[in-house]
Structure formats: structure tokens, C-alpha cells
Amino acid sequence: MPHQMSPEMKRCVENCHDCHDICVQTAQHCLEKGGRHAEASHVRLLLDCAQICHTSGDFMLRGSDLHAMTCGVCAEVCARCAEACERMGDDEMMRRCAEICRRCAASCAQMAGVAVR
Amino acid sequence: MPHQMSPEMKRCVENCHDCHDICVQTAQHCLEKGGRHAEASHVRLLLDCAQICHTSGDFMLRGSDLHAMTCGVCAEVCARCAEACERMGDDEMMRRCAEICRRCAASCAQMAGVAVR
Amino acid sequence: MPHQMSPEMKRCVENCHDCHDICVQTAQHCLEKGGRHAEASHVRLLLDCAQICHTSGDFMLRGSDLHAMTCGVCAEVCARCAEACERMGDDEMMRRCAEICRRCAASCAQMAGVAVR
Amino acid sequence: MPHQMSPEMKRCVENCHDCHDICVQTAQHCLEKGGRHAEASHVRLLLDCAQICHTSGDFMLRGSDLHAMTCGVCAEVCARCAEACERMGDDEMMRRCAEICRRCAASCAQMAGVAVR
């Protein structure tokens, strides 16, 4: 493997992928559900989360020594997205999205060297 | 300027930027408006358009000889997005988005060497 | 799963992820190796490939009916990237990148309904 | 304008665009120049900078209240990219890139509420 990626970093890249993917899908799911699921602030948070996950993943894939900064932001955005999905937790999709966001938040916090929220 | 970008290509990069930006903003605007503006298929089209515009812009900025392919797809996606916004054309934001999508569709079609839809 | 993604599409999203990741990593690997590996046109092709894979993956994750267009471009860009890596095929990384690009090209061609190059 | 974007934020979105664009172009320019310009760590920093600028710009365009976090990272990455380009400041392109990175770093620091480096 290039850049001697540690097992923790490899797992974090995978978590970022999973979180990006579920957030892109959940945004569409929420739009189809409508009501409070489709509130502008909720869909925006899902899009924010998807994008910072992709960006943090790429910083790690490039072997950038700045990845701790993007992972720090990613940990915070994922934690907020998880909370929002938990609050709406009335279907399987929201629960799955919350769970994957939590896992990504934890592994990004580890990469950033910050406490898990 | 690097890669000897032609004036047409420079304008196309700018049009892609403008179109990306207005589509990201219009998606949020539509979510706030609700109703048919916030339909999953409409918001998705705006997100599709924003993303392919960004991708096509980057292909041109890198001086890639593959930009004609991404610009070809971009021209088509922008044209569809313009049509969708025109159909909803009941506020200033939708009309502005439609206009900017039309302009981007035309300049991407030119870069791709295809007919404007 | 949302949007009733077919098994083929799910596999294609995974192939796009794998291809994006290996291309981002291979670009850095090539820069470190230097010489013809670090030629501007080769690194550019790897960056083009990484970006269109990400874009095509997102179109499918959103359930967009325009994914056939982005997958068509993706199939072509991946095939060219595979060829370039095969020509340089003097280390494990280049061979792995070529193989993953080939697999992504084939599954994107299937999604786009075009012949595999 | 949607989301009542302040004049400072609008300028910051523009600065992020300009910085993203020049970094994508400078990366190709550096690859063509070769030598220390094409060092893996330098090209990586340009790609990091281009990507976080795009991400921060999108957070602002979506009207996200999390933009201060991405702008904080963006300010730091842009400042480092400016320094790297200044150290290599032996041609017009590097000087221009450094200048545009400095401007983006300053406006992102303002949006993030942090001191300019």
C-alpha cells in the first residue's frame, strides 16, 4: 500500500466512504419522505456531511499531513448529522444513517487526535 | 495563462462555476420553498447539474483532452435543469437559475462540438 | 436499500469507489517515483479518472436517471487510464491500478449500455 | 440573493473559486516544469488546497452554519500553500498562485473568526 497507511487510517477512509454514500442516499430518501425530513436545514446537513467525508477521505488517500484538520471538522459534522438523524429516527434508513455517521465521527476524531463527541 | 486556454474555454470554465453555484443555492432555495420545488427529482437534478459543472470545469482547468466528453454530458444535464427551472419559473431565483443553466449548456455544447439543445 | 439499486448498480458504485481511491493514491505514487511516471499527462489522466469515478458514483447514489451519461464517460476515461498504467506496468502499484480501472470501465460500460472497450 | 449572503461571504466564495482554479492549474504547471516544482509534497499541497477551497465554497453557498469550521481549515491550508509557492517563487505562475492563496486565506480566516496567519 502506498504512503504506509496505518490500519486505523485505512479504516477511517472506509468509514468516510460509507458515511458519504449513506448521506447522499439519505438526502434523497428524506426528499421523497417529505415533511420535517425534507427541511432545508436537515438536507443541507446531510450534504455537508457527504462532502466533508469525501474531502477528508481524499486528504488521507493523498497521504497529506493536513488530514488531521479535515478529519477534525469531519468528526464534528458527522456527530451533528448523527444527532439529527437520531432525532428523526423513525425509519430504518435514518437509524442506519445515524449509526454510520457515529462510526465515522469516532474514527475521524481518532485521526484528528480529538475527543469523540 | 497555463495550457493556452482559449477565450471560449475560459468563458466555459466561468459558466460552469456560475452554474454550479446557482444550482447549489437554488437547491437550498427550493427546499425552503417546499411543495413541488422540493420534489426529490427536482432537487436531484440541481445537485446533478452542480456536480457535473464542477467536474467539467476541473477537466478544462487541468487542460485535459477528455474535457469534450465531460462537457458533452454537462451540456445535456444543464439543458434539462434549465427546462425544469423554466417549468417552475414562478420566482426570480428559478428564472435566474434557468438562464445561467442555458448559458452553461450552450458553452459546454460548443466545447463538446455538439449541437445546442 | 433506497432507490431500489440493482445488484449491478451497487457493484458499479463500489467499483467507482475503488477506482477513485486507487487513482488518487497512484497519482501520489507516480509523483514520488518521478520520471515518466510523473509526466503531466499521466498524472492528469489519473486525476481525471478519480474525479469522474466520484461523480458517476454520486449520480448512481442519488438514483439519477442521468447516470448512464456519466457512466459512459467514466467507462472511456477508466479504459484510457488502464491503458496508460499498463504501458507503465513496471511495478505492483501500476498493475493494481490498471486492473481496478479495467474492472470499473467494464461495469460503467454495462451501466451506460455501451460496449466495453 | 438566497440565504442573505453578506458581502464578505460573497467575496469569500469568489476567493475560494479563484484559489481552487489557480491551484488546479498550478499543479499541472508544476508537473510540466518538473524538478522541485513536481515534488510529491508540493503537488499534494496544491491538490489539498484546491479541494478544501471547493468544499468551503459549497458550505457557504448552501448557507451552512458549519462553514466557519471548513473556512478555518481552508485558511490554514491556503496559508501553507501560499508559503510553498512563495518559496518556489521563480516564475509568474507561482507568484500569482501565492498571491491568490494569500487572499483566500485572509478571507477564510475572517469567515472563521480566526487570526490571519
Side-chain angles (χ1 to χ4, degrees):
Chain A
M1 278 296 288
H3 318 307
Q4 290 91 297
M5 238 197 248
S6 68
E8 288 76 22
M9 194 182 278
K10 280 173 82 169
R11 246 191 321 268
C12 191
V13 170
E14 279 162 39
N15 287 329
C16 284
H17 267 315
D18 291 345
C19 194
H20 168 272
D21 287 9
I22 195 76
C23 285
V24 170
Q25 293 180 302
T26 302
Q28 285 301 313
H29 170 80
C30 286
L31 289 167
E32 273 151 31
K33 258 199 125 159
R36 66 201 177 101
H37 285 85
E39 269 171 26
S41 60
H42 187 233
V43 177
R44 175 167 53 217
L45 185 50
L46 288 161
L47 299 180
D48 284 352
C49 193
Q51 191 170 24
I52 192 68
C53 283
H54 173 63
T55 297
S56 286
D58 275 6
F59 270 63
M60 290 185 277
L61 288 166
R62 276 192 291 270
S64 171
D65 54 352
L66 302 171
H67 76 267
M69 285 193 279
T70 51
C71 283
V73 175
C74 199
E76 180 65 26
V77 178
C78 289
R80 293 195 193 198
C81 196
E83 283 161 20
C85 291
E86 282 156 11
R87 275 196 301 273
M88 299 212 175
D90 54 352
D91 69 20
E92 177 54 24
M93 189 78 188
M94 303 313 293
R95 276 189 294 273
R96 225 179 108 218
C97 191
E99 187 191 317
I100 291 173
C101 286
R102 283 279 171 224
R103 195 183 311 144
C104 192
S107 90
C108 278
Q110 189 187 17
M111 296 313 300
V114 297
V116 189
R117 243 168 58 108
Chain B
M1 278 296 288
H3 317 306
Q4 290 93 296
M5 239 197 246
S6 68
E8 288 77 23
M9 193 182 278
K10 281 173 80 169
R11 248 193 317 271
C12 190
V13 170
E14 278 162 38
N15 287 330
C16 284
H17 268 314
D18 291 345
C19 195
H20 168 272
D21 287 9
I22 196 76
C23 286
V24 170
Q25 293 181 302
T26 302
Q28 286 301 312
H29 170 81
C30 286
L31 288 168
E32 274 150 30
K33 259 199 126 160
R36 67 201 178 99
H37 285 84
E39 270 172 26
S41 61
H42 187 232
V43 176
R44 175 167 52 218
L45 185 50
L46 288 161
L47 299 180
D48 283 353
C49 194
Q51 190 170 26
I52 192 68
C53 283
H54 173 62
T55 297
S56 286
D58 276 6
F59 270 63
M60 289 185 278
L61 287 165
R62 276 193 291 270
S64 172
D65 54 353
L66 303 170
H67 76 268
M69 285 194 278
T70 52
C71 284
V73 175
C74 200
E76 180 65 27
V77 177
C78 288
R80 293 194 192 199
C81 195
E83 283 161 20
C85 290
E86 281 156 11
R87 275 195 301 274
M88 300 212 174
D90 54 352
D91 70 20
E92 176 54 24
M93 189 79 189
M94 302 315 292
R95 277 189 294 272
R96 228 179 106 217
C97 191
E99 188 192 316
I100 291 174
C101 286
R102 283 277 172 226
R103 196 182 312 146
C104 191
S107 91
C108 278
Q110 190 188 16
M111 295 311 301
V114 298
V116 188
R117 244 167 57 108
Chain C
M1 277 298 290
H3 316 308
Q4 290 92 295
M5 238 198 248
S6 69
E8 288 76 24
M9 193 182 279
K10 280 173 81 170
R11 246 193 319 271
C12 191
V13 170
E14 278 162 39
N15 287 329
C16 284
H17 267 315
D18 291 345
C19 195
H20 168 272
D21 288 9
I22 196 77
C23 285
V24 170
Q25 293 181 301
T26 302
Q28 285 301 313
H29 170 80
C30 286
L31 288 168
E32 272 150 31
K33 257 198 128 161
R36 69 203 176 99
H37 285 84
E39 269 171 26
S41 61
H42 186 232
V43 176
R44 175 167 53 217
L45 185 51
L46 288 161
L47 298 180
D48 283 353
C49 193
Q51 191 170 25
I52 192 67
C53 283
H54 173 64
T55 297
S56 286
D58 275 6
F59 270 63
M60 290 184 278
L61 288 166
R62 276 192 292 270
S64 172
D65 55 352
L66 303 170
H67 76 268
M69 284 194 278
T70 52
C71 284
V73 175
C74 200
E76 180 65 26
V77 177
C78 288
R80 293 195 193 198
C81 196
E83 283 160 20
C85 290
E86 282 156 10
R87 275 196 301 274
M88 299 213 175
D90 53 352
D91 69 21
E92 177 54 25
M93 189 80 189
M94 302 314 293
R95 276 189 294 271
R96 229 179 104 218
C97 191
E99 187 192 317
I100 292 173
C101 286
R102 283 277 171 225
R103 196 183 309 146
C104 191
S107 89
C108 279
Q110 189 188 17
M111 296 312 300
V114 296
V116 188
R117 241 167 59 106
Chain D
M1 278 295 290
H3 317 308
Q4 291 91 296
M5 238 197 249
S6 67
E8 288 76 23
M9 194 181 278
K10 280 173 81 169
R11 247 193 318 271
C12 190
V13 170
E14 279 162 39
N15 287 329
C16 284
H17 267 315
D18 291 345
C19 195
H20 168 272
D21 288 8
I22 195 76
C23 285
V24 171
Q25 293 180 302
T26 302
Q28 286 301 312
H29 170 80
C30 285
L31 288 168
E32 273 151 31
K33 257 199 126 160
R36 67 202 177 101
H37 284 85
E39 270 172 25
S41 60
H42 187 233
V43 176
R44 175 166 54 217
L45 184 51
L46 288 160
L47 298 179
D48 284 352
C49 194
Q51 191 171 25
I52 192 68
C53 283
H54 173 62
T55 297
S56 286
D58 276 6
F59 270 62
M60 289 184 279
L61 288 165
R62 276 192 292 270
S64 171
D65 54 352
L66 302 170
H67 76 269
M69 284 194 278
T70 52
C71 284
V73 175
C74 200
E76 180 66 26
V77 177
C78 288
R80 292 194 193 199
C81 196
E83 283 160 20
C85 291
E86 282 157 10
R87 274 196 301 273
M88 298 212 175
D90 53 352
D91 69 20
E92 178 53 26
M93 189 77 189
M94 303 313 293
R95 276 189 294 272
R96 228 178 106 218
C97 191
E99 188 192 315
I100 291 173
C101 286
R102 283 278 170 223
R103 196 183 310 145
C104 192
S107 91
C108 279
Q110 189 187 17
M111 296 313 299
V114 297
V116 188
R117 243 168 57 108

